[in-house]
mmCIF file of all heavy atoms in Angstrom:
data_model
loop_
_atom_site.group_PDB
_atom_site.id
_atom_site.type_symbol
_atom_site.label_atom_id
_atom_site.label_comp_id
_atom_site.label_asym_id
_atom_site.label_seq_id
_atom_site.Cartn_x
_atom_site.Cartn_y
_atom_site.Cartn_z
ATOM 1 N N GLY A 591 -0.172 11.292 -3.219
ATOM 2 C CA GLY A 591 -0.585 10.184 -2.463
ATOM 3 C C GLY A 591 -1.942 10.422 -1.790
ATOM 4 O O GLY A 591 -2.689 11.222 -2.188
ATOM 5 N N ALA A 592 -2.146 9.561 -0.748
ATOM 6 C CA ALA A 592 -3.505 9.515 -0.214
ATOM 7 C C ALA A 592 -3.879 10.784 0.517
ATOM 8 O O ALA A 592 -5.037 11.217 0.579
ATOM 9 C CB ALA A 592 -3.576 8.330 0.850
ATOM 10 N N MET A 593 -2.882 11.512 1.066
ATOM 11 C CA MET A 593 -3.218 12.779 1.836
ATOM 12 C C MET A 593 -3.803 13.772 0.862
ATOM 13 O O MET A 593 -4.820 14.423 1.222
ATOM 14 C CB MET A 593 -1.953 13.317 2.458
ATOM 15 C CG MET A 593 -1.457 12.535 3.615
ATOM 16 S SD MET A 593 0.163 13.057 4.244
ATOM 17 C CE MET A 593 -0.306 14.797 4.686
ATOM 18 N N LEU A 594 -3.316 13.871 -0.299
ATOM 19 C CA LEU A 594 -3.878 14.875 -1.266
ATOM 20 C C LEU A 594 -5.269 14.450 -1.734
ATOM 21 O O LEU A 594 -6.175 15.242 -1.779
ATOM 22 C CB LEU A 594 -2.983 15.030 -2.454
ATOM 23 C CG LEU A 594 -3.440 16.035 -3.491
ATOM 24 C CD1 LEU A 594 -2.259 16.914 -4.024
ATOM 25 C CD2 LEU A 594 -4.073 15.350 -4.720
ATOM 26 N N ILE A 595 -5.426 13.170 -2.026
ATOM 27 C CA ILE A 595 -6.721 12.721 -2.398
ATOM 28 C C ILE A 595 -7.772 12.889 -1.289
ATOM 29 O O ILE A 595 -8.885 13.326 -1.588
ATOM 30 C CB ILE A 595 -6.626 11.173 -2.830
ATOM 31 C CG1 ILE A 595 -5.749 11.013 -4.050
ATOM 32 C CG2 ILE A 595 -8.020 10.588 -3.132
ATOM 33 C CD1 ILE A 595 -5.420 9.621 -4.387
ATOM 34 N N ARG A 596 -7.354 12.612 -0.111
ATOM 35 C CA ARG A 596 -8.326 12.741 1.045
ATOM 36 C C ARG A 596 -8.736 14.206 1.218
ATOM 37 O O ARG A 596 -9.872 14.553 1.518
ATOM 38 C CB ARG A 596 -7.660 12.201 2.292
ATOM 39 C CG ARG A 596 -8.616 12.265 3.516
ATOM 40 C CD ARG A 596 -8.034 11.554 4.750
ATOM 41 N NE ARG A 596 -6.772 12.151 5.177
ATOM 42 C CZ ARG A 596 -5.609 11.524 5.151
ATOM 43 N NH1 ARG A 596 -5.540 10.272 4.707
ATOM 44 N NH2 ARG A 596 -4.508 12.190 5.648
ATOM 45 N N SER A 597 -7.799 15.149 1.017
ATOM 46 C CA SER A 597 -8.161 16.571 1.130
ATOM 47 C C SER A 597 -9.209 17.036 0.120
ATOM 48 O O SER A 597 -9.927 17.985 0.410
ATOM 49 C CB SER A 597 -6.884 17.400 0.966
ATOM 50 O OG SER A 597 -6.389 17.413 -0.369
ATOM 51 N N LEU A 598 -9.243 16.366 -0.994
ATOM 52 C CA LEU A 598 -10.210 16.803 -2.090
ATOM 53 C C LEU A 598 -11.582 15.988 -2.007
ATOM 54 O O LEU A 598 -12.538 16.441 -2.607
ATOM 55 C CB LEU A 598 -9.586 16.600 -3.422
ATOM 56 C CG LEU A 598 -8.529 17.630 -3.776
ATOM 57 C CD1 LEU A 598 -7.554 17.139 -4.844
ATOM 58 C CD2 LEU A 598 -9.118 18.992 -4.139
ATOM 59 N N ARG A 599 -11.562 14.880 -1.346
ATOM 60 C CA ARG A 599 -12.766 13.990 -1.298
ATOM 61 C C ARG A 599 -13.966 14.741 -0.825
ATOM 62 O O ARG A 599 -15.059 14.591 -1.483
ATOM 63 C CB ARG A 599 -12.467 12.856 -0.417
ATOM 64 C CG ARG A 599 -13.612 11.835 -0.239
ATOM 65 C CD ARG A 599 -13.969 11.053 -1.511
ATOM 66 N NE ARG A 599 -14.703 11.865 -2.468
ATOM 67 C CZ ARG A 599 -15.082 11.350 -3.659
ATOM 68 N NH1 ARG A 599 -14.841 10.148 -3.995
ATOM 69 N NH2 ARG A 599 -15.702 12.221 -4.504
ATOM 70 N N PRO A 600 -13.951 15.637 0.276
ATOM 71 C CA PRO A 600 -15.212 16.264 0.652
ATOM 72 C C PRO A 600 -15.651 17.339 -0.236
ATOM 73 O O PRO A 600 -16.797 17.874 -0.081
ATOM 74 C CB PRO A 600 -14.822 16.858 2.057
ATOM 75 C CG PRO A 600 -13.499 16.201 2.408
ATOM 76 C CD PRO A 600 -12.845 15.860 1.206
ATOM 77 N N ARG A 601 -14.832 17.728 -1.209
ATOM 78 C CA ARG A 601 -15.169 18.849 -2.034
ATOM 79 C C ARG A 601 -15.780 18.537 -3.394
ATOM 80 O O ARG A 601 -16.061 19.373 -4.203
ATOM 81 C CB ARG A 601 -13.908 19.720 -2.290
ATOM 82 C CG ARG A 601 -13.229 20.096 -0.971
ATOM 83 C CD ARG A 601 -11.998 20.896 -1.200
ATOM 84 N NE ARG A 601 -11.372 21.316 0.055
ATOM 85 C CZ ARG A 601 -10.826 22.431 0.330
ATOM 86 N NH1 ARG A 601 -10.810 23.384 -0.611
ATOM 87 N NH2 ARG A 601 -10.285 22.660 1.526
ATOM 88 N N THR A 602 -16.014 17.248 -3.666
ATOM 89 C CA THR A 602 -16.546 16.892 -4.950
ATOM 90 C C THR A 602 -17.259 15.517 -4.785
ATOM 91 O O THR A 602 -16.897 14.693 -3.942
ATOM 92 C CB THR A 602 -15.425 16.693 -5.983
ATOM 93 O OG1 THR A 602 -15.992 16.135 -7.237
ATOM 94 C CG2 THR A 602 -14.332 15.861 -5.540
ATOM 95 N N LYS A 603 -18.284 15.311 -5.633
ATOM 96 C CA LYS A 603 -18.993 14.052 -5.673
ATOM 97 C C LYS A 603 -18.452 13.163 -6.765
ATOM 98 O O LYS A 603 -18.991 12.084 -7.040
ATOM 99 C CB LYS A 603 -20.487 14.269 -5.869
ATOM 100 C CG LYS A 603 -21.146 15.024 -4.697
ATOM 101 C CD LYS A 603 -22.617 15.208 -4.952
ATOM 102 C CE LYS A 603 -23.231 15.894 -3.764
ATOM 103 N NZ LYS A 603 -24.755 16.129 -3.970
ATOM 104 N N ALA A 604 -17.345 13.557 -7.458
ATOM 105 C CA ALA A 604 -16.801 12.776 -8.502
ATOM 106 C C ALA A 604 -16.346 11.401 -8.111
ATOM 107 O O ALA A 604 -16.013 11.183 -6.845
ATOM 108 C CB ALA A 604 -15.589 13.498 -9.154
ATOM 109 N N PHE A 605 -16.301 10.444 -9.022
ATOM 110 C CA PHE A 605 -15.839 9.109 -8.733
ATOM 111 C C PHE A 605 -14.327 9.139 -8.696
ATOM 112 O O PHE A 605 -13.691 9.669 -9.592
ATOM 113 C CB PHE A 605 -16.335 8.171 -9.802
ATOM 114 C CG PHE A 605 -16.005 6.676 -9.613
ATOM 115 C CD1 PHE A 605 -16.978 5.912 -8.967
ATOM 116 C CD2 PHE A 605 -14.853 6.092 -10.003
ATOM 117 C CE1 PHE A 605 -16.777 4.555 -8.786
ATOM 118 C CE2 PHE A 605 -14.609 4.802 -9.802
ATOM 119 C CZ PHE A 605 -15.559 3.976 -9.171
ATOM 120 N N PHE A 606 -13.730 8.664 -7.583
ATOM 121 C CA PHE A 606 -12.288 8.661 -7.428
ATOM 122 C C PHE A 606 -11.714 7.282 -7.684
ATOM 123 O O PHE A 606 -12.046 6.364 -6.940
ATOM 124 C CB PHE A 606 -11.925 9.128 -6.044
ATOM 125 C CG PHE A 606 -11.836 10.600 -5.784
ATOM 126 C CD1 PHE A 606 -12.404 11.462 -6.718
ATOM 127 C CD2 PHE A 606 -11.305 11.145 -4.694
ATOM 128 C CE1 PHE A 606 -12.328 12.862 -6.545
ATOM 129 C CE2 PHE A 606 -11.246 12.470 -4.472
ATOM 130 C CZ PHE A 606 -11.794 13.399 -5.397
ATOM 131 N N ASP A 607 -10.941 7.189 -8.750
ATOM 132 C CA ASP A 607 -10.352 5.937 -9.124
ATOM 133 C C ASP A 607 -8.817 5.998 -8.908
ATOM 134 O O ASP A 607 -8.118 6.741 -9.697
ATOM 135 C CB ASP A 607 -10.641 5.696 -10.603
ATOM 136 C CG ASP A 607 -9.904 4.483 -11.235
ATOM 137 O OD1 ASP A 607 -9.557 3.607 -10.524
ATOM 138 O OD2 ASP A 607 -9.721 4.515 -12.463
ATOM 139 N N ALA A 608 -8.342 5.354 -7.894
ATOM 140 C CA ALA A 608 -6.906 5.377 -7.566
ATOM 141 C C ALA A 608 -6.151 4.236 -8.281
ATOM 142 O O ALA A 608 -6.463 3.074 -8.068
ATOM 143 C CB ALA A 608 -6.672 5.333 -6.083
ATOM 144 N N HIS A 609 -5.135 4.650 -9.145
ATOM 145 C CA HIS A 609 -4.387 3.625 -9.810
ATOM 146 C C HIS A 609 -2.996 3.589 -9.119
ATOM 147 O O HIS A 609 -2.215 4.507 -9.261
ATOM 148 C CB HIS A 609 -4.260 4.071 -11.273
ATOM 149 C CG HIS A 609 -3.352 3.258 -12.086
ATOM 150 N ND1 HIS A 609 -2.927 3.667 -13.360
ATOM 151 C CD2 HIS A 609 -2.780 2.009 -11.931
ATOM 152 C CE1 HIS A 609 -2.172 2.771 -13.822
ATOM 153 N NE2 HIS A 609 -2.055 1.724 -13.036
ATOM 154 N N LEU A 610 -2.740 2.576 -8.347
ATOM 155 C CA LEU A 610 -1.576 2.500 -7.496
ATOM 156 C C LEU A 610 -0.446 1.873 -8.246
ATOM 157 O O LEU A 610 -0.271 0.630 -8.288
ATOM 158 C CB LEU A 610 -1.905 1.718 -6.182
ATOM 159 C CG LEU A 610 -3.035 2.206 -5.281
ATOM 160 C CD1 LEU A 610 -3.152 1.464 -4.034
ATOM 161 C CD2 LEU A 610 -2.985 3.777 -5.011
ATOM 162 N N MET A 611 0.462 2.655 -8.770
ATOM 163 C CA MET A 611 1.629 2.243 -9.454
ATOM 164 C C MET A 611 2.800 2.289 -8.423
ATOM 165 O O MET A 611 3.665 3.128 -8.473
ATOM 166 C CB MET A 611 1.903 3.184 -10.601
ATOM 167 C CG MET A 611 0.932 2.913 -11.768
ATOM 168 S SD MET A 611 1.230 4.048 -13.160
ATOM 169 C CE MET A 611 0.364 5.479 -12.675
ATOM 170 N N ILE A 612 2.612 1.415 -7.405
ATOM 171 C CA ILE A 612 3.557 1.388 -6.270
ATOM 172 C C ILE A 612 4.004 -0.050 -5.984
ATOM 173 O O ILE A 612 3.216 -0.949 -6.384
ATOM 174 C CB ILE A 612 2.965 2.087 -5.036
ATOM 175 C CG1 ILE A 612 1.683 1.333 -4.562
ATOM 176 C CG2 ILE A 612 2.644 3.519 -5.359
ATOM 177 C CD1 ILE A 612 1.119 1.941 -3.257
ATOM 178 N N SER A 613 5.107 -0.189 -5.333
ATOM 179 C CA SER A 613 5.669 -1.508 -5.178
ATOM 180 C C SER A 613 5.024 -2.359 -4.125
ATOM 181 O O SER A 613 5.024 -3.647 -4.214
ATOM 182 C CB SER A 613 7.177 -1.369 -4.743
ATOM 183 O OG SER A 613 7.926 -0.834 -5.815
ATOM 184 N N ASP A 614 4.460 -1.750 -3.044
ATOM 185 C CA ASP A 614 3.835 -2.576 -2.003
ATOM 186 C C ASP A 614 2.472 -2.043 -1.734
ATOM 187 O O ASP A 614 2.202 -1.416 -0.622
ATOM 188 C CB ASP A 614 4.725 -2.546 -0.780
ATOM 189 C CG ASP A 614 4.248 -3.493 0.316
ATOM 190 O OD1 ASP A 614 3.296 -4.174 0.115
ATOM 191 O OD2 ASP A 614 4.894 -3.454 1.427
ATOM 192 N N PRO A 615 1.505 -2.199 -2.575
ATOM 193 C CA PRO A 615 0.204 -1.526 -2.424
ATOM 194 C C PRO A 615 -0.521 -2.011 -1.138
ATOM 195 O O PRO A 615 -1.318 -1.226 -0.583
ATOM 196 C CB PRO A 615 -0.561 -1.936 -3.716
ATOM 197 C CG PRO A 615 0.071 -3.125 -4.192
ATOM 198 C CD PRO A 615 1.532 -2.988 -3.855
ATOM 199 N N GLY A 616 -0.299 -3.257 -0.734
ATOM 200 C CA GLY A 616 -0.996 -3.749 0.401
ATOM 201 C C GLY A 616 -0.698 -2.966 1.670
ATOM 202 O O GLY A 616 -1.480 -2.731 2.545
ATOM 203 N N LYS A 617 0.608 -2.468 1.679
ATOM 204 C CA LYS A 617 1.075 -1.769 2.883
ATOM 205 C C LYS A 617 0.298 -0.387 3.029
ATOM 206 O O LYS A 617 0.164 0.130 4.170
ATOM 207 C CB LYS A 617 2.577 -1.465 2.777
ATOM 208 C CG LYS A 617 3.193 -0.713 3.885
ATOM 209 C CD LYS A 617 4.680 -0.561 3.675
ATOM 210 C CE LYS A 617 5.347 0.229 4.765
ATOM 211 N NZ LYS A 617 6.793 0.397 4.591
ATOM 212 N N TYR A 618 -0.125 0.207 1.962
ATOM 213 C CA TYR A 618 -0.724 1.557 1.889
ATOM 214 C C TYR A 618 -2.238 1.396 1.565
ATOM 215 O O TYR A 618 -2.781 2.470 1.488
ATOM 216 C CB TYR A 618 0.012 2.405 0.966
ATOM 217 C CG TYR A 618 1.467 2.507 1.188
ATOM 218 C CD1 TYR A 618 2.362 1.775 0.487
ATOM 219 C CD2 TYR A 618 1.939 3.355 2.197
ATOM 220 C CE1 TYR A 618 3.742 1.834 0.713
ATOM 221 C CE2 TYR A 618 3.286 3.419 2.428
ATOM 222 C CZ TYR A 618 4.197 2.691 1.707
ATOM 223 O OH TYR A 618 5.535 2.738 2.005
ATOM 224 N N LEU A 619 -2.742 0.296 1.390
ATOM 225 C CA LEU A 619 -4.158 0.145 0.903
ATOM 226 C C LEU A 619 -5.150 0.838 1.866
ATOM 227 O O LEU A 619 -5.990 1.603 1.439
ATOM 228 C CB LEU A 619 -4.502 -1.274 0.806
ATOM 229 C CG LEU A 619 -5.907 -1.525 0.295
ATOM 230 C CD1 LEU A 619 -6.149 -0.987 -1.114
ATOM 231 C CD2 LEU A 619 -6.190 -3.060 0.266
ATOM 232 N N GLU A 620 -4.975 0.717 3.148
ATOM 233 C CA GLU A 620 -5.860 1.306 4.070
ATOM 234 C C GLU A 620 -5.928 2.875 3.941
ATOM 235 O O GLU A 620 -6.975 3.487 4.183
ATOM 236 C CB GLU A 620 -5.553 0.990 5.525
ATOM 237 C CG GLU A 620 -6.600 1.330 6.552
ATOM 238 C CD GLU A 620 -7.999 0.692 6.306
ATOM 239 O OE1 GLU A 620 -7.988 -0.395 5.749
ATOM 240 O OE2 GLU A 620 -8.979 1.304 6.679
ATOM 241 N N ASP A 621 -4.730 3.448 3.644
ATOM 242 C CA ASP A 621 -4.681 4.916 3.402
ATOM 243 C C ASP A 621 -5.576 5.355 2.320
ATOM 244 O O ASP A 621 -6.258 6.361 2.417
ATOM 245 C CB ASP A 621 -3.271 5.326 3.149
ATOM 246 C CG ASP A 621 -2.284 5.131 4.301
ATOM 247 O OD1 ASP A 621 -2.784 5.042 5.443
ATOM 248 O OD2 ASP A 621 -1.042 5.044 4.037
ATOM 249 N N TYR A 622 -5.664 4.551 1.269
ATOM 250 C CA TYR A 622 -6.441 4.953 0.127
ATOM 251 C C TYR A 622 -7.933 4.729 0.333
ATOM 252 O O TYR A 622 -8.821 5.356 -0.140
ATOM 253 C CB TYR A 622 -5.932 4.294 -1.199
ATOM 254 C CG TYR A 622 -4.614 4.945 -1.561
ATOM 255 C CD1 TYR A 622 -3.401 4.423 -1.103
ATOM 256 C CD2 TYR A 622 -4.549 6.101 -2.281
ATOM 257 C CE1 TYR A 622 -2.212 5.020 -1.383
ATOM 258 C CE2 TYR A 622 -3.320 6.730 -2.549
ATOM 259 C CZ TYR A 622 -2.175 6.194 -2.083
ATOM 260 O OH TYR A 622 -1.019 6.880 -2.384
ATOM 261 N N LEU A 623 -8.199 3.689 1.098
ATOM 262 C CA LEU A 623 -9.603 3.414 1.501
ATOM 263 C C LEU A 623 -10.087 4.541 2.355
ATOM 264 O O LEU A 623 -11.168 5.065 2.156
ATOM 265 C CB LEU A 623 -9.726 2.104 2.213
ATOM 266 C CG LEU A 623 -9.447 0.820 1.444
ATOM 267 C CD1 LEU A 623 -9.425 -0.412 2.261
ATOM 268 C CD2 LEU A 623 -10.543 0.671 0.338
ATOM 269 N N GLN A 624 -9.273 4.987 3.359
ATOM 270 C CA GLN A 624 -9.609 5.998 4.256
ATOM 271 C C GLN A 624 -9.704 7.385 3.564
ATOM 272 O O GLN A 624 -10.405 8.241 3.929
ATOM 273 C CB GLN A 624 -8.655 6.104 5.380
ATOM 274 C CG GLN A 624 -8.660 4.973 6.345
ATOM 275 C CD GLN A 624 -9.949 4.924 7.136
ATOM 276 O OE1 GLN A 624 -10.564 5.896 7.495
ATOM 277 N NE2 GLN A 624 -10.438 3.727 7.372
ATOM 278 N N ALA A 625 -8.995 7.518 2.418
ATOM 279 C CA ALA A 625 -9.013 8.755 1.649
ATOM 280 C C ALA A 625 -10.314 8.880 0.841
ATOM 281 O O ALA A 625 -10.590 9.980 0.361
ATOM 282 C CB ALA A 625 -7.823 8.821 0.692
ATOM 283 N N GLY A 626 -11.139 7.807 0.761
ATOM 284 C CA GLY A 626 -12.368 7.952 0.111
ATOM 285 C C GLY A 626 -12.397 7.550 -1.374
ATOM 286 O O GLY A 626 -13.274 7.897 -2.129
ATOM 287 N N CYS A 627 -11.408 6.750 -1.775
ATOM 288 C CA CYS A 627 -11.397 6.251 -3.175
ATOM 289 C C CYS A 627 -12.516 5.281 -3.431
ATOM 290 O O CYS A 627 -12.762 4.420 -2.577
ATOM 291 C CB CYS A 627 -9.993 5.588 -3.441
ATOM 292 S SG CYS A 627 -8.576 6.681 -3.366
ATOM 293 N N ASP A 628 -13.141 5.489 -4.555
ATOM 294 C CA ASP A 628 -14.246 4.600 -4.925
ATOM 295 C C ASP A 628 -13.842 3.279 -5.575
ATOM 296 O O ASP A 628 -14.457 2.260 -5.501
ATOM 297 C CB ASP A 628 -15.213 5.317 -5.854
ATOM 298 C CG ASP A 628 -15.787 6.605 -5.191
ATOM 299 O OD1 ASP A 628 -16.616 6.422 -4.283
ATOM 300 O OD2 ASP A 628 -15.422 7.722 -5.620
ATOM 301 N N ALA A 629 -12.725 3.408 -6.195
ATOM 302 C CA ALA A 629 -12.033 2.238 -6.896
ATOM 303 C C ALA A 629 -10.591 2.283 -6.676
ATOM 304 O O ALA A 629 -9.972 3.374 -6.623
ATOM 305 C CB ALA A 629 -12.370 2.169 -8.383
ATOM 306 N N ILE A 630 -9.964 1.118 -6.497
ATOM 307 C CA ILE A 630 -8.564 1.041 -6.293
ATOM 308 C C ILE A 630 -7.986 -0.056 -7.180
ATOM 309 O O ILE A 630 -8.426 -1.169 -7.070
ATOM 310 C CB ILE A 630 -8.098 0.785 -4.792
ATOM 311 C CG1 ILE A 630 -8.695 1.932 -3.910
ATOM 312 C CG2 ILE A 630 -6.636 0.673 -4.652
ATOM 313 C CD1 ILE A 630 -8.432 1.759 -2.435
ATOM 314 N N THR A 631 -7.015 0.351 -8.012
ATOM 315 C CA THR A 631 -6.429 -0.636 -8.939
ATOM 316 C C THR A 631 -4.927 -0.855 -8.555
ATOM 317 O O THR A 631 -4.198 0.191 -8.314
ATOM 318 C CB THR A 631 -6.516 -0.103 -10.425
ATOM 319 O OG1 THR A 631 -7.887 -0.021 -10.764
ATOM 320 C CG2 THR A 631 -5.798 -1.026 -11.358
ATOM 321 N N VAL A 632 -4.580 -2.057 -8.462
ATOM 322 C CA VAL A 632 -3.166 -2.470 -8.205
ATOM 323 C C VAL A 632 -2.565 -3.191 -9.390
ATOM 324 O O VAL A 632 -3.328 -3.656 -10.301
ATOM 325 C CB VAL A 632 -3.045 -3.345 -6.948
ATOM 326 C CG1 VAL A 632 -3.586 -2.591 -5.725
ATOM 327 C CG2 VAL A 632 -3.706 -4.660 -7.154
ATOM 328 N N HIS A 633 -1.294 -3.233 -9.482
ATOM 329 C CA HIS A 633 -0.576 -3.867 -10.597
ATOM 330 C C HIS A 633 -0.184 -5.300 -10.246
ATOM 331 O O HIS A 633 0.363 -5.607 -9.221
ATOM 332 C CB HIS A 633 0.705 -3.078 -10.970
ATOM 333 C CG HIS A 633 0.446 -2.083 -11.989
ATOM 334 N ND1 HIS A 633 0.738 -2.225 -13.310
ATOM 335 C CD2 HIS A 633 -0.101 -0.778 -11.907
ATOM 336 C CE1 HIS A 633 0.378 -1.167 -13.978
ATOM 337 N NE2 HIS A 633 -0.085 -0.256 -13.182
ATOM 338 N N LEU A 634 -0.470 -6.216 -11.267
ATOM 339 C CA LEU A 634 -0.071 -7.589 -11.099
ATOM 340 C C LEU A 634 1.412 -7.737 -10.935
ATOM 341 O O LEU A 634 1.900 -8.625 -10.211
ATOM 342 C CB LEU A 634 -0.591 -8.381 -12.261
ATOM 343 C CG LEU A 634 -0.411 -9.926 -12.254
ATOM 344 C CD1 LEU A 634 -1.056 -10.571 -10.959
ATOM 345 C CD2 LEU A 634 -0.976 -10.560 -13.489
ATOM 346 N N GLU A 635 2.117 -6.883 -11.585
ATOM 347 C CA GLU A 635 3.621 -6.942 -11.498
ATOM 348 C C GLU A 635 4.107 -6.611 -10.132
ATOM 349 O O GLU A 635 5.233 -7.039 -9.705
ATOM 350 C CB GLU A 635 4.259 -5.930 -12.518
ATOM 351 C CG GLU A 635 3.987 -6.216 -13.981
ATOM 352 C CD GLU A 635 2.616 -5.594 -14.455
ATOM 353 O OE1 GLU A 635 1.970 -4.916 -13.619
ATOM 354 O OE2 GLU A 635 2.290 -5.822 -15.607
ATOM 355 N N ALA A 636 3.358 -5.780 -9.351
ATOM 356 C CA ALA A 636 3.725 -5.470 -8.029
ATOM 357 C C ALA A 636 3.239 -6.470 -7.005
ATOM 358 O O ALA A 636 3.818 -6.621 -5.878
ATOM 359 C CB ALA A 636 3.211 -4.080 -7.693
ATOM 360 N N VAL A 637 2.210 -7.173 -7.328
ATOM 361 C CA VAL A 637 1.561 -8.129 -6.343
ATOM 362 C C VAL A 637 1.262 -9.386 -7.190
ATOM 363 O O VAL A 637 0.205 -9.639 -7.753
ATOM 364 C CB VAL A 637 0.266 -7.627 -5.822
ATOM 365 C CG1 VAL A 637 -0.213 -8.487 -4.659
ATOM 366 C CG2 VAL A 637 0.397 -6.150 -5.323
#
């Protein structure tokens, strides 16, 4: 989840693309923004 991604964000300049295969992505979206993801993808089936 976002905690692991956030822990690695300061250690690399790589592009972070989060593919959220989760049921309620809106509920957790802020977590992934705060984690430093450069792109966030959600599923149409979930939203």
Side-chain angles (χ1 to χ4, degrees):
M593 290 174 58
L594 181 139
I595 295 171
R596 184 170 62 244
S597 72
L598 288 158
R599 178 68 287 178
R601 304 179 181 220
T602 173
K603 295 181 179 179
F605 188 92
F606 277 13
D607 171 26
H609 176 193
L610 303 187
M611 291 178 274
I612 62 177
S613 292
D614 189 1
K617 181 178 179 180
Y618 303 99
L619 182 60
E620 190 62 29
D621 293 338
Y622 289 92
L623 293 172
Q624 291 295 324
C627 297
D628 299 290
I630 299 176
T631 296
V632 299
H633 269 261
L634 184 58
E635 298 86 0
V637 190

